[in-house]
């Protein structure tokens, strides 16, 4: 049976690999998405995966700065998703 630090390292590395692979798949959807809403959802997925990658990297390296970076990325990703969805729905971001 693996010890706790070794199991955590294995889980973090697996999470990094999985999140990176899913980000690449979402990137494909951004490029080949048949509709604009598909592309918006794929961009939101990429933003979420980048946040997850930053947090997992913070766990791996022990650097707390990456947690702060992930929080800022999450806020920017949320605001940009709202702005793009407003543009898609109404054709204008600011009224």
């Amino acid at each position: 049976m693996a010890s706790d630090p070794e199991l955590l390292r294995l889980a973090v590395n697996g999470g990094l690999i999985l999140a990176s692979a899913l980000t690449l798949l979402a990137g494909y959807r951004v490029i080949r998405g048949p509709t604009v809403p598909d592309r918006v959802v794929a961009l939101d997925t990429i933003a979420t995966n980048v946040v997850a990658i930053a947090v997992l990297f913070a766990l791996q390296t022990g650097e707390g700065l990456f947690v702060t970076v992930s929080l800022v990325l999450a806020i920017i990703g949320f605001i940009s998703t709202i702005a793009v969805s407003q543009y898609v729905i109404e054709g204008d971001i600011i009224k």
Side-chain angles (χ1 to χ4, degrees):
M1 182 101 185
S3 65
D4 288 338
E6 185 179 333
L7 184 62
L8 178 64
R9 184 182 54 80
L10 183 64
V12 168
N13 287 338
L16 282 169
I17 291 169
L18 184 64
S20 299
L22 292 174
T23 302
L24 289 175
L25 290 174
Y28 174 78
R29 179 54 56 198
V30 169
I31 295 169
R32 301 286 297 193
T35 63
V36 174
D38 286 333
R39 291 185 169 116
V40 171
V41 170
L43 282 172
D44 189 41
T45 303
I46 289 172
T48 303
N49 285 343
V50 168
V51 169
I53 289 169
V55 170
L56 288 169
F57 193 71
L59 283 172
Q60 186 179 39
T61 60
E63 292 288 330
L65 177 66
F66 291 109
V67 175
T68 306
V69 168
S70 67
L71 288 173
V72 171
L73 287 173
I75 292 168
I76 291 171
F78 176 74
I79 291 171
S80 64
T81 300
I82 298 281
V84 172
S85 66
Q86 280 293 112
Y87 179 75
V88 168
I89 291 172
E90 299 177 7
D92 193 15
I93 296 173
I94 301 172
K95 294 181 181 182

